[in-house]
Amino acid sequence: MMENQGDIESEGGGVGVMIMEDGKDLERNISESGLREPLLISSKSRVNNTSQLAIIGANVCPIESLDYDIVENDLFKQDWRSRKKVQIFQYIFLKWALVLLIGLSTGLVGFFLNIAVENIAGFKLLLTSDLMLQDKYFCAFSVFAGCNLLLATCAASLCAFIAPAAAGSGIPEVKAYLNGVDAHSILAPSTLFVKIIGSALGVSAGFVVGKEGPMVHTGACIANLLGQGGSRKYHMTWKWLKYFKNDRDRRDLITCGAAAGVAAAFRAPVGGVLFALEEVASWWRSALLWRTFFTTAVVAMVLRSCIQFCRSGKCGLFGQGGLIMFDVNSGAPNYNTVDILAILLIGVLGGLFGSLYNYLVDKVLRTYSIINERGPAFKIMLVMTISILSSLCSYGLPWFASCTPCPVGLEEKCPTVGRSGNYKNFQCPSGHYNDLASLFMNTNDDAIRNLLSAENSNEFHLSTLFVFFAGVYCLGVITYGIAIPSGLFIPVILAGASYGRLVGTVLGSVSNLNNGLFALLGAASFLGGTMRMTVSLCVILLELTNNLLMLPLVMLVLLISKTVADSFNKGVYDQIVQMKGLPYLEAHAEPYMRQLVAGDVCSGPLVTFSGVEKVGNIVHALKFTGHNGFPVVDAPPFSDATEFCGLVLRSHLLVLLNGKKFTRLSVLSGSSILKSFHAFDFAKPGSGKGLKLEDLSFSAEEMEMYVDLHPITNTSPYTVVETMSLAKAAILFRQLGLRHLCVVPKTTGRNPIVGILTRHDFMPEHIKGLYPNLVHHK
């Protein structure tokens, strides 16, 4: 299958200097068209000046669009006609083989991350606990903070120097990619490596972050690496994967990888499929549903097998399974009117706290971006500062908590012996435990497990739950955005479970639900308030807790929290996508778009080629424009009248020029080109950049020769008439996954092509630049 190609040409390390603007689009001459002037005064300059840069991870990078449309040119048609049944079967078989490999690889990576975090953090906590038992409190803090600082510095150094795109959650970037936005190194092998190692180090360093968001990015990176036939840069390619060198098939594989990441993080296969459908994927079809479900099922089986192996004690300090809080609470819910009112309150609190959390995260990210722009050293110093602050809170706050006598008749030891458990000794005498230390001086997974525990309803004091909620809430806000791989799920679950358990503790004997179930509902409400997902979060939480009887209550709090939070701001991932400058196309058109037509926003200048064009003209256009798509217009003697022939891509022109199948006269030579090239010669490369104009050289004689563009011209591009409303054009553009949308005139006797609409022409910034008064008029 052939591919619409347009890899970015960048110079100078991580930030591209030369920016390619997606098929930068064309000018509508109003005086020629005879159509009305727009209702509002437009700018005289019709050049699209919207930003071609976005924040990817912790760096500013050039961006461009992907093209999920099939290029139906003569080479493509010849390739499909020549394909045998064996090749078609091979293509179908490889699709399923690749999703199997994605599931296996993502499951193993998820298991490795859990083993790494449990053992690294477990060793650190054991060492700190042993020193405290010897009353060496300052020494214990030095070891605790020192280990955290060392791990954090290593994670930050990897992100700052090797793969800046690995910083953060990665979900906004994956969501934008599946919407059609590509950026430098977003799914590169180096990003995958740093994401895995950095997540293990960052979570082990005691930050209030999770590995769940990074696992989504990791799954997408694995899918991209397998689907592109390896990496030319690292000399790892597989020729038999040539069928997948196009954005369309990679999109499907990366969707499977994102679903596998959620399944590996939460051990929730159905939740992973629904997460991909509800949150990250912009295009969906039934065949993709089958493959994502198969991928997540493979992940679940891999994790199940690995955890069974580890429970035999062969995985070091693996604790209670590592994978969050599976099976932690299976109590049967039996609720009364008071419980329903409390659940409504929890839902409202989740919406209020969630919208405030999103607002604060947005402000913090904007502040951190100013610091991160100053270079790797500042990124690392910021991470070290937050690490020291997190260590001070985790070690210092439990000193203000009182010691609690151990409950009588417990099955487990109290205080806890070893690195995990509900009852941490900290500074307390024998037979007592520090409830706040049981939350702060634990891994995040164990802290969640403790909060959701139903064994002892009086395990945590009200003051402890309030302090822990405030601490985790604030630390979660200031930690997200530093240069380490960091997920938002864990901070949100921790904070939500805290105030949920707090409400349950306040109700006490009045309620029929135990405190662990209230903690679960609190986590659900805060997740709904921040992420604004409903179905996928509901299923993920039910799969985590293995308690289907909680379904009605979880649904209720999710709906309430989302409704309340939506009245204040957008979901956290939508806000981050917007803040990073990623040109994300929403599923709906903005109201102001209905006041404009497609021809009103076409930007220029218009650059076209003839069906048989002089080599020098093509080279000049490629050199002095950043366009990725050029209209091809046929004129006599190659057609009866001037007509729009189709669209040719920059990458295809470079491949054609490199082959040097030129003629001295302006004549059709398509047959010889069809014999000299194969469709796969024009396929999109993997991590490699593909051909650049600088790689080609031409003599003066060659520059005066001609080349036939018909064999590589997409003769059936999607077109709209210039009078179509911009709202309808935007919806069509997104639903079809286009990179270029050609605008043709309504009347005859004019230039057969008015302009080309690209993703940036639908951005509010571009439209606001053309019509300053329009965007504010809803």
Side-chain angles (χ1 to χ4, degrees):
M1 294 178 68
M2 288 192 54
E3 164 63 13
N4 277 11
Q5 152 76 10
D7 277 2
I8 285 187
E9 299 180 18
S10 61
E11 303 171 358
V15 179
V17 176
M18 178 176 176
I19 303 170
M20 310 231 338
E21 303 180 353
D22 281 2
K24 267 320 198 217
D25 305 304
L26 316 168
E27 168 73 4
R28 190 190 75 162
N29 191 324
I30 296 178
S31 62
E32 289 184 4
S33 68
L35 298 178
R36 60 169 178 78
E37 283 278 359
L39 293 175
L40 301 175
I41 298 174
S42 69
S43 168
K44 292 182 180 180
S45 172
R46 300 300 295 278
V47 178
N48 189 327
N49 293 315
T50 54
S51 174
Q52 305 290 315
L53 298 172
I55 301 173
I56 305 298
N59 254 21
V60 177
C61 298
I63 53 174
E64 65 172 33
S65 294
L66 301 166
D67 198 338
Y68 298 137
D69 185 28
I70 297 174
V71 181
E72 292 184 345
N73 55 28
D74 292 343
L75 279 165
F76 170 83
K77 295 171 185 175
Q78 176 181 268
D79 174 58
W80 270 104
R81 284 194 297 265
S82 63
R83 284 196 183 182
K84 301 176 182 178
K85 287 185 178 180
V86 175
Q87 292 174 304
I88 296 173
F89 174 78
Q90 183 185 22
Y91 172 68
I92 296 171
F93 172 78
L94 286 176
K95 272 189 174 181
W96 288 98
L98 282 174
V99 296
L100 173 65
L101 289 173
I102 291 168
L104 289 172
S105 303
T106 309
L108 291 173
V109 168
F111 177 65
F112 163 77
L113 271 178
N114 278 283
I115 284 187
V117 170
E118 293 282 309
N119 281 280
I120 296 172
F123 176 77
K124 174 191 71 178
L125 293 169
L126 269 179
L127 192 57
T128 305
S129 177
D130 291 342
L131 289 170
M132 293 196 73
L133 289 174
Q134 301 172 30
D135 295 335
K136 298 179 179 179
Y137 298 121
F138 181 77
C139 186
F141 172 72
S142 300
V143 168
F144 179 72
C147 289
N148 287 343
L149 189 61
L150 177 63
L151 294 168
T153 305
C154 292
S157 300
L158 289 173
C159 279
F161 293 108
I162 298 178
S169 166
I171 292 179
E173 285 83 355
V174 173
K175 183 175 180 177
Y177 184 93
L178 293 176
N179 188 259
V181 181
D182 195 11
H184 179 69
S185 297
I186 188 174
L187 299 173
S190 58
T191 304
L192 172 62
F193 169 76
V194 173
K195 203 77 180 182
I196 295 171
I197 305 301
S199 293
L201 296 174
V203 177
S204 302
F207 287 116
V208 183
V209 297
K211 52 189 178 293
E212 288 66 33
M215 271 306 302
V216 175
H217 195 180
T218 298
C221 289
I222 291 171
N224 181 66
L225 181 63
L226 292 172
Q228 69 185 11
S231 169
R232 290 183 182 179
K233 180 179 178 182
Y234 297 100
H235 306 289
M236 299 185 301
T237 57
W238 299 281
K239 292 182 179 178
W240 50 274
L241 285 176
K242 60 185 179 182
Y243 298 114
F244 297 93
K245 288 187 177 294
N246 63 84
D247 287 333
R248 194 182 186 90
D249 283 319
R250 285 182 197 165
R251 173 193 68 189
D252 291 350
L253 291 174
I254 288 167
T255 303
C256 292
V262 174
F266 293 108
R267 225 161 102 194
V270 179
V273 175
L274 293 174
F275 178 85
L277 170 62
E278 184 178 5
E279 182 62 19
V280 296
S282 293
W283 294 276
W284 198 266
R285 60 184 191 279
S286 58
L288 186 57
L289 180 67
W290 277 77
R291 281 196 287 275
T292 51
F293 187 70
F294 174 72
T295 309
T296 56
V298 171
V299 171
M301 289 187 288
V302 169
L303 290 176
R304 184 81 178 178
S305 303
C306 292
I307 288 178
Q308 287 298 115
F309 172 77
C310 274
R311 282 180 177 165
S312 62
K314 298 178 181 178
C315 296
L317 301 170
F318 195 65
Q320 298 181 20
L323 290 163
I324 314 289
M325 58 280 193
F326 191 81
D327 263 353
V328 297
N329 197 331
S330 56
N334 180 22
Y335 39 89
N336 55 29
T337 305
V338 176
D339 294 327
I340 296 296
L341 294 175
I343 290 165
L344 294 176
L345 173 63
I346 289 175
V348 173
L349 287 175
L352 295 174
F353 286 137
S355 57
L356 177 62
Y357 192 87
N358 292 359
Y359 173 80
L360 295 174
V361 164
D362 182 71
K363 296 301 180 186
V364 168
L365 282 173
R366 293 180 188 277
T367 304
Y368 285 176
S369 65
I370 299 171
I371 300 173
N372 290 335
E373 284 175 4
R374 303 186 67 178
F378 286 88
K379 295 178 185 178
I380 295 172
M381 284 193 289
L382 177 60
V383 172
M384 295 172 70
T385 303
I386 301 299
S387 174
I388 294 171
L389 182 60
S390 298
S391 298
L392 285 170
C393 289
S394 298
Y395 190 86
L397 289 177
W399 286 94
F400 297 98
S402 58
C403 294
T404 306
C406 290
V408 181
L410 286 176
E411 294 182 5
E412 61 177 301
K413 292 184 178 180
C414 179
T416 300
V417 178
R419 72 152 196 86
S420 63
N422 288 32
Y423 305 100
K424 287 284 185 180
N425 179 265
F426 205 63
Q427 90 289 11
C428 295
S430 178
H432 293 71
Y433 71 95
N434 187 314
D435 57 347
L436 192 53
S438 301
L439 298 174
F440 271 121
M441 297 296 290
N442 243 329
T443 62
N444 292 331
D445 289 2
D446 281 333
I448 293 172
R449 190 176 287 111
N450 294 347
L451 284 170
L452 298 184
S453 172
E455 293 180 1
N456 181 9
S457 59
N458 298 317
E459 180 181 349
F460 301 106
H461 297 102
L462 288 174
S463 58
T464 295
L465 294 170
F466 179 80
V467 170
F468 184 71
F469 165 71
V472 167
Y473 193 96
C474 296
L475 288 175
V477 168
I478 65 172
T479 303
Y480 191 81
I482 60 177
I484 62 167
S486 53
L488 280 170
F489 272 98
I490 290 301
V492 170
I493 291 175
L494 279 170
S498 301
Y499 70 71
R501 192 170 182 110
L502 181 64
V503 171
T505 305
V506 169
L507 291 178
S509 59
V510 179
S511 170
N512 290 341
L513 295 176
N514 64 57
N515 291 351
L517 294 178
F518 272 112
L520 172 64
L521 294 173
S525 70
F526 202 14
L527 284 168
T530 54
M531 300 179 185
R532 314 295 160 83
M533 294 179 281
T534 51
V535 179
S536 55
L537 283 179
C538 183
V539 174
I540 287 171
L541 289 169
L542 294 177
E543 287 185 284
L544 281 174
T545 56
N546 198 27
N547 192 350
L548 191 61
L549 298 174
M550 289 294 292
L551 177 63
L553 300 182
V554 173
M555 290 174 65
L556 182 61
V557 295
L558 282 171
L559 289 170
I560 294 172
S561 62
K562 174 177 166 55
T563 303
V564 171
D566 278 341
S567 61
F568 294 99
N569 50 30
K570 293 183 177 180
V572 65
Y573 295 130
D574 293 323
Q575 281 193 178
I576 294 171
V577 165
Q578 185 177 5
M579 189 277 298
K580 285 176 174 284
L582 295 164
Y584 186 87
L585 289 176
E586 298 289 349
H588 61 276
E590 295 294 337
Y592 61 79
M593 288 186 176
R594 302 196 179 279
Q595 302 178 48
L596 298 173
V597 296
D600 289 336
V601 298
C602 288
S603 49
L606 175 63
V607 180
T608 63
F609 291 137
S610 300
V612 180
E613 185 62 80
K614 184 180 286 187
V615 173
N617 292 344
I618 298 175
V619 172
H620 183 272
L622 295 177
K623 185 176 182 179
F624 292 102
T625 69
H627 308 342
N628 275 316
F630 299 89
V632 177
V633 177
D634 266 341
F638 301 112
S639 63
D640 295 334
T642 303
E643 64 181 19
F644 176 50
C645 181
L647 197 71
V648 65
L649 301 178
R650 167 183 284 265
S651 58
H652 293 182
L653 287 170
L654 291 172
V655 174
L656 184 64
L657 292 176
N658 191 45
K660 297 192 175 182
K661 298 297 177 182
F662 308 146
T663 58
R664 296 185 182 279
L665 300 176
S666 177
V667 295
L668 295 173
S669 57
S671 57
S672 64
I673 291 175
L674 289 174
K675 293 176 182 177
S676 304
F677 291 94
H678 191 276
F680 293 117
D681 295 330
F682 296 86
K684 184 172 184 177
S687 294
K689 301 291 183 184
L691 278 174
K692 298 179 183 178
L693 186 61
E694 293 79 8
D695 301 329
L696 310 181
S697 61
F698 306 97
S699 64
E701 183 182 4
E702 288 173 332
M703 293 287 277
E704 296 299 319
M705 298 177 76
Y706 294 86
V707 61
D708 188 357
L709 301 182
H710 291 97
I712 64 168
T713 300
N714 181 7
T715 55
S716 56
Y718 284 97
T719 60
V720 296
V721 70
E722 60 185 339
T723 54
M724 175 184 279
S725 78
L726 189 62
K728 290 179 70 175
I731 293 171
L732 179 71
F733 191 93
R734 187 195 191 267
Q735 289 182 346
L736 294 175
L738 302 180
R739 184 176 190 175
H740 306 101
L741 182 60
C742 300
V743 182
V744 296
K746 186 177 182 180
T747 58
T748 58
R750 296 164 48 205
N751 192 327
I753 175 76
V754 171
I756 299 179
L757 292 175
T758 61
R759 174 177 297 269
H760 289 277
D761 291 311
F762 295 104
M763 292 296 107
E765 297 83 5
H766 172 57
I767 299 173
K768 185 177 180 180
L770 294 176
Y771 310 104
N773 300 320
L774 177 65
V775 176
H776 301 291
H777 180 63
K778 298 292 183 181

